[in-house]
């Protein structure tokens, strides 16, 4: 069964050994572009690993072209990060100042002093950002004339780049791609929104890999920073390995196995097999950079948007719902109004009974007719006293503060903060969708 459905099984121990002993090592575009995103030390260690595997390195022509076309954009992306950090700093300033300002008249909390301390701390951070930005811009300007990453990558891949497709070959790939994408056949169909011909970039890379496999008949390690499901078999958010269709397609061309690694997985496995002296800090940074890719950030933003929307809906329900004290007050007032209505009816009934008793006593010739109704008059008096107490209680309920004013104001402030975060998350999501890496 394994030979028929090999894509659903991980490589065997022997297949892993063959992959790392003689397999062609292929990096995708973002795995190379990430060299500009790493710190200098991490980038150097990654390049050292590639140097150790130099004799087996190879990249499709499409990867080389995308790398050369997009490297300046990635360099600029690093520069624009300073503006985003500065915006986050100012957002923090406002987020702290506004709620703390509400406690300026607090008995023991010195709001003004806290705000001042916070502002001074943020000013120091702002200075650090500016100094770092100036240094980075200087480095970028120097890199335009002497790009160390470009120089090393060029040397590593000299004579190790595949042949570009001709116009007719590209047209054939695009035509096949339209059919594959319509049927969700990997890779590349998740890029359909990019438009023609950019959406077929991943398929061109894959087709060039297959062309290489057909000629070399060798196994291959494919290192990709693309985490989408049109490359990986994903179950409950976990990547289980390459899409089975891709493993089978590669095997049908070469008779060999292909296996995928993310950049951090590639480094970790290389370290395990060759003891290259890589540090956990290096591997951790590579993983962090991959985690921060627009594709993954987009998914994080989407989940955050759903979470914030649910929290907002729940908060609106709380705002619209009467407070427990308000409900208790309403219930107590209803009871007292019902009691008052009952007392009024009792008084009316007693008045009628008293008048009837007086008339009856007078008709029977009693000398002191009114004295016969003294007991009933006492009951009337007690009932009126109870009515007065009920009226006083109602007045107190109407005059007492509800206690929900400040609470309601607090809910509204929470709603304003949520709305601001929702807006920022929606903007970030739009940015990730519009600026996904190559």
């Amino acid at each position: 069964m394994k030979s028929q459905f090999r894509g659903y099984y991980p490589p065997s121990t022997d297949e892993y050994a063959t992959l790392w002993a003689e397999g062609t090592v292929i990096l995708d575009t973002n795995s190379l572009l990430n060299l500009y995103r790493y710190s200098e030390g991490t980038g150097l260690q990654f390049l050292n690993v590639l140097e150790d595997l130099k004799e087996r390195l190879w990249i499709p022509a499409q990867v080389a072209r995308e790398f050369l076309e997009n490297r300046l954009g990635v360099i600029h992306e690093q520069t624009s990060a300073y503006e985003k950090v500065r915006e986050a700093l100012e957002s923090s300033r406002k987020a702290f100042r506004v709620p703390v300002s509400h406690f300026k008249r607090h008995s023991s909390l010195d709001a003004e002093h806290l705000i001042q301390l916070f502002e001074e701390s943020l000013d120091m951070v702002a200075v650090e950002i500016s100094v770092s930005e100036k240094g980075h811009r200087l480095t970028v300007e120097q890199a335009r004339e002497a790009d160390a990453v470009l120089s090393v990558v060029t040397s590593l891949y000299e004579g190790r780049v595949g042949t570009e497709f001709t116009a007719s070959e590209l047209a054939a790939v695009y035509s096949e791609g339209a059919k594959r994408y319509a049927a969700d056949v990997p890779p590349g169909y998740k890029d359909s929104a990019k438009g023609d011909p950019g959406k077929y970039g991943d398929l061109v890379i894959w087709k060039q890999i297959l062309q290489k496999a057909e000629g070399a008949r060798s196994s291959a390690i494919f290192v990709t920073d693309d985490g989408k499901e049109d490359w990986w078999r994903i179950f409950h958010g976990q990547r289980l390995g390459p899409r089975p269709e891709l493993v089978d397609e590669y095997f049908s061309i070469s008779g060999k196995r292909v296996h995928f690694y993310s950049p951090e997985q590639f480094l970790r496995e290389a370290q395990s097999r060759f003891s290259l002296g890589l540090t956990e800090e290096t591997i951790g940074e590579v993983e962090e950079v991959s985690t921060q890719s627009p594709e993954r950030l987009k998914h994080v933003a989407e989940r955050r948007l759903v979470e914030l929307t649910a929290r907002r809906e729940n908060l609106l329900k709380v705002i619209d719902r009467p407070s427990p004290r308000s409900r208790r007050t309403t219930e107590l007032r209803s009871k007292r109004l019902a009691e008052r209505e009952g007392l009024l009816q009792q008084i009316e009934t007693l008045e009628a009974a008293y008048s009837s008793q007086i008339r009856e006593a007078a008709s029977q010739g009693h000398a002191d007719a009114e004295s016969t109704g003294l007991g009933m008059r006492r009951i009337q008096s007690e009932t009126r006293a109870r009515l007065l107490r009920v009226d006083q209680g109602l007045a107190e309920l109407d005059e007492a503060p509800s206690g929900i004013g400040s609470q309601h104001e607090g809910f509204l402030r929470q709603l304003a903060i949520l709305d601001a975060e929702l807006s920022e998350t929606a903007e970030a999501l739009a940015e990730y969708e519009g600026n996904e890496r190559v």
Side-chain angles (χ1 to χ4, degrees):
M1 188 165 80
K2 183 177 179 179
S3 62
Q4 187 174 352
F5 299 98
R6 65 179 46 81
Y8 290 93
Y9 295 86
S12 66
T13 301
D14 289 342
E15 286 172 328
Y16 271 124
T18 300
L19 281 164
W20 282 95
E22 58 188 54
T24 304
V25 178
I26 308 167
L27 271 66
D28 76 348
T29 307
N30 277 320
S31 296
L32 286 176
L33 288 174
N34 281 347
L35 292 168
Y36 289 103
R37 299 179 174 110
Y38 302 143
S39 65
E40 184 177 354
T42 294
L44 182 60
Q45 288 197 46
F46 201 118
L47 287 169
N48 287 340
V49 172
L50 297 182
E51 181 67 39
D52 287 343
L53 298 170
K54 183 175 181 177
E55 296 306 315
R56 292 192 280 125
L57 291 182
W58 179 87
I59 51 173
Q62 180 74 9
V63 168
R65 177 176 292 280
E66 289 179 354
F67 171 77
L68 293 170
E69 287 180 348
N70 290 282
R71 69 182 187 85
L72 291 180
V74 175
I75 292 172
H76 175 73
E77 167 194 306
Q78 301 301 294
T79 303
S80 65
Y82 286 95
E83 186 58 36
K84 295 183 185 300
V85 171
R86 194 175 286 107
E87 290 174 359
L89 188 70
E90 291 307 311
S91 177
S92 298
R93 193 188 299 271
K94 294 176 183 176
F96 183 80
R97 185 193 303 126
V98 173
V100 175
S101 296
H102 288 286
F103 303 105
K104 286 184 177 180
R105 292 180 177 81
H106 194 276
S107 59
S108 55
L109 185 69
D110 191 343
E112 290 285 0
H113 181 60
L114 290 176
I115 291 174
Q116 181 182 354
L117 287 177
F118 188 72
E119 297 273 356
E120 290 173 354
S121 299
L122 291 191
D123 289 341
M124 291 175 63
V125 175
V127 170
E128 288 292 325
I129 293 172
S130 296
V131 171
S132 178
E133 183 178 17
K134 288 178 182 178
H136 178 78
R137 289 187 182 278
L138 180 61
T139 301
V140 169
E141 290 173 5
Q142 293 171 345
R144 287 173 183 160
E145 298 180 3
D147 186 339
V149 171
L150 177 61
S151 177
V152 175
V153 169
T154 299
S155 175
L156 281 172
Y157 287 98
E158 189 63 40
R160 296 181 173 84
V161 179
T163 304
E164 287 201 87
F165 282 163
T166 64
S168 60
E169 287 174 328
L170 285 174
V173 172
Y174 299 160
S175 177
E176 180 185 348
K179 298 174 184 176
R180 289 173 71 122
Y181 286 15
D184 285 351
V185 176
Y189 64 82
K190 294 295 288 184
D191 291 334
S192 296
K194 288 185 176 180
D196 295 332
K199 65 183 181 182
Y200 296 118
D202 283 359
L203 183 58
V204 171
I205 290 173
W206 180 244
K207 285 293 184 179
Q208 290 178 347
I209 290 174
L210 293 179
Q211 186 183 66
K212 168 72 172 176
E214 187 175 17
R217 298 284 174 173
S218 67
S219 57
I221 291 171
F222 183 49
V223 183
T224 175
D225 192 46
D226 191 332
K228 297 194 293 294
E229 66 179 38
D230 56 351
W231 283 108
W232 297 90
R233 182 184 174 210
I234 298 175
F235 182 75
H236 286 288
Q238 298 295 316
R239 290 180 298 191
L240 304 182
R243 284 287 292 262
E245 302 96 316
L246 300 180
V247 174
D248 291 341
E249 191 172 10
Y250 188 92
F251 190 87
S252 68
I253 293 292
S254 67
K256 301 290 183 178
R257 184 85 187 212
V258 65
H259 192 60
F260 292 4
Y261 290 95
S262 64
E264 68 275 10
Q265 290 171 336
F266 170 70
L267 289 188
R268 199 174 294 281
E269 188 67 22
Q271 169 68 10
S272 171
R273 291 179 177 275
F274 307 128
S275 300
L276 301 174
L278 296 172
T279 65
E280 277 301 316
E281 288 78 11
T282 291
I283 296 175
E285 182 182 340
V286 170
E287 182 176 11
E288 182 179 358
V289 169
S290 293
T291 302
Q292 291 175 346
S293 70
E295 167 63 27
R296 294 189 179 101
L297 288 174
K298 174 185 172 184
H299 291 314
V300 171
E302 287 173 338
R303 289 196 298 270
R304 183 64 175 159
L305 200 61
V306 171
E307 176 191 339
L308 289 172
T309 301
R311 283 174 55 189
R312 187 181 191 279
E313 291 175 353
N314 289 334
L315 185 57
L316 284 174
K317 291 177 182 177
V318 172
I319 291 173
D320 293 337
R321 185 191 309 144
S323 69
R325 179 172 179 179
S326 176
R327 288 198 299 271
R328 288 196 299 271
T329 301
T330 301
E331 291 170 0
L332 183 56
R333 194 172 190 279
S334 297
K335 289 180 180 178
R336 289 187 176 177
L337 284 173
E339 184 181 1
R340 185 178 190 277
E341 183 66 27
L343 290 171
L344 287 173
Q345 291 179 359
Q346 287 182 37
I347 291 172
E348 184 178 348
T349 300
L350 287 169
E351 286 285 356
Y354 175 77
S355 298
S356 175
Q357 190 173 13
I358 293 297
R359 285 195 299 273
E360 183 178 352
S363 66
Q364 293 178 1
H366 291 290
D368 189 5
E370 291 191 7
S371 63
T372 61
L374 287 178
M376 195 171 293
R377 179 62 74 182
R378 187 178 63 253
I379 296 174
Q380 281 182 302
S381 178
E382 291 174 354
T383 304
R384 290 185 184 277
R386 287 175 59 192
L387 179 62
L388 179 60
R389 288 194 296 271
V390 170
D391 285 341
Q392 288 174 341
L394 284 170
E396 290 172 0
L397 285 176
D398 291 338
E399 293 174 3
S402 65
I404 65 170
S406 59
Q407 186 182 34
H408 187 73
E409 184 180 342
F411 287 147
L412 291 178
R413 282 200 301 271
Q414 291 181 41
L415 183 62
I417 294 172
L418 266 179
D419 284 341
E421 193 170 353
L422 268 167
S423 177
E424 291 176 3
T425 305
E427 290 175 5
L429 180 58
E431 183 177 344
Y432 299 145
E433 289 175 338
N435 297 287
E436 288 190 56
R437 291 181 189 171
V438 176

